[in-house]
Amino acid sequence: MEAFFSDLLDRFLGTAFLEKVGKKYHYWESQTMELEAVAEEMLPLLQREACWERRECWGLGRPLFEKYRRNQTDVADTVYEEVVMSLGRGLDDLQESYTQRGMLSESYMLEVLADELLLEGYGAYNRYIRENTVWHVARYHFLGSEEDFPLEMMPELLHSFAIPVTCNEVFCMQPKKSVVFVSELTQDEKVSCRGICMGCNSTRCANRIGSLDK
C-alpha cells in the first residue's frame, strides 16, 4: 500500500485543477472561491488517508480468475494485476457533515473534486507502471462490465489487499471514494491504453476520457 500520487495532491489546490473542475461541472467563476474552500478542507484528509495498492503481475492462471473466467485466453507478453485506489474514509465523514448541516452545494463540490482526482489517478497509475516496470497498460477491466470480471469477484479481491477498502452485500465499496480494477499489461509497444472508457457506449458522458498514454 502506498500513499496516493503526490504529484496529483500537489496540484489539487492549483488553479489549473480547480478551473478544470469548474468548467467541467459548469460552475460560475464567482463560485471558484467556494470550490477552493472545499478543496482546502479535503486536502489534509487526502494527505493523511488517500492511498493505492497493486498486486504484482501474474497471468490469468491465478485461482480467482480461473473461478470466473469464461472467454479469456492467455496471450503471450500479457499479464494482469489488481489495483485498488481509495481517497479515504475522512472524505465520507466530511461529506456527511456537509449534508447534515444542509451544505448541499459543498457536498456536491466534494463529490466532483473527488471524482476528478480519482479519474486523474488512472493516468498517474499508467505513468507509474511505465516508469517503474518493464510493462505498460494495455487496457482496464472493471468488475461487472465483462463476463470474465463479475462483481462477485469483489469481496475476495478486496480481502487480499492491505488497503482498508471493503464492500457490502450489494458490492458498494467503503470508503465510497474508492475504485477497484484489473489492469492488462503488455510489453508490446504497438499497443497503447485507450483509456478507462474503452467499450463503453455512453459517448456523451461528462467523465468520458480518451487515451491515458500521455
Side-chain angles (χ1 to χ4, degrees):
M1 181 172 66
E2 301 186 44
F4 201 70
F5 306 99
S6 59
D7 58 327
L8 300 186
L9 296 186
D10 289 344
R11 299 196 300 267
F12 189 66
L13 295 180
T15 301
F17 179 76
L18 294 176
E19 286 184 349
K20 176 184 177 181
V21 173
K23 181 178 180 180
K24 182 173 180 178
Y25 293 95
H26 310 292
Y27 283 108
W28 298 103
E29 188 174 341
S30 59
Q31 295 175 288
T32 301
M33 291 184 63
E34 185 181 357
L35 194 65
E36 183 177 6
V38 172
E40 287 176 346
E41 288 201 81
M42 293 171 63
L43 184 58
L45 302 174
L46 291 167
Q47 292 171 329
R48 183 170 69 245
E49 299 182 8
C51 54
W52 72 289
E53 188 175 352
R54 55 184 282 258
R55 308 291 291 183
E56 289 190 3
C57 300
W58 32 255
L60 279 173
R62 187 172 184 268
L64 181 58
F65 271 120
E66 293 299 334
K67 182 177 179 180
Y68 293 102
R69 65 188 296 193
R70 297 291 183 273
N71 305 311
Q72 299 278 350
T73 55
D74 292 319
V75 179
D77 300 321
T78 300
V79 294
Y80 295 76
E81 65 177 33
E82 303 157 333
V83 183
V84 180
M85 298 182 189
S86 178
L87 301 186
R89 194 170 299 276
L91 289 195
D92 291 350
D93 294 340
L94 177 59
Q95 189 171 37
E96 179 62 23
S97 173
Y98 285 152
T99 301
Q100 290 179 351
R101 288 180 284 165
M103 301 169 66
L104 301 184
S105 177
E106 287 82 357
S107 177
Y108 183 67
M109 286 181 173
L110 184 151
E111 188 75 23
V112 300
L113 285 163
D115 286 350
E116 198 62 30
L117 184 60
L118 282 173
L119 282 174
E120 293 203 350
Y122 294 109
Y125 166 75
N126 275 36
R127 293 190 293 275
Y128 177 92
I129 293 298
R130 185 173 281 278
E131 293 169 5
N132 293 278
T133 75
V134 298
W135 307 93
H136 64 274
V137 180
R139 66 173 296 179
Y140 288 85
H141 301 276
F142 292 95
L143 306 189
S145 64
E146 304 172 48
E147 185 180 10
D148 284 309
F149 300 93
L151 281 171
E152 287 76 13
M153 291 178 65
M154 188 180 294
E156 187 176 348
L157 190 156
L158 292 175
H159 183 72
S160 66
F161 280 86
I163 194 169
V165 177
T166 60
C167 70
N168 61 19
E169 63 277 7
V170 291
F171 311 113
C172 293
M173 283 187 288
Q174 299 289 337
K176 296 177 182 177
K177 310 301 185 289
S178 304
V179 295
V180 58
F181 57 89
V182 176
S183 62
E184 181 178 324
L185 308 182
T186 182
Q187 293 180 340
D188 187 348
E189 290 298 332
K190 297 189 295 296
V191 176
S192 62
C193 180
R194 293 168 56 188
I196 64 173
C197 298
M198 178 183 179
C200 176
N201 294 321
S202 299
T203 58
R204 301 177 69 86
C205 175
N207 287 327
R208 191 173 184 87
I209 57 178
S211 172
L212 291 174
D213 283 340
K214 295 178 180 180

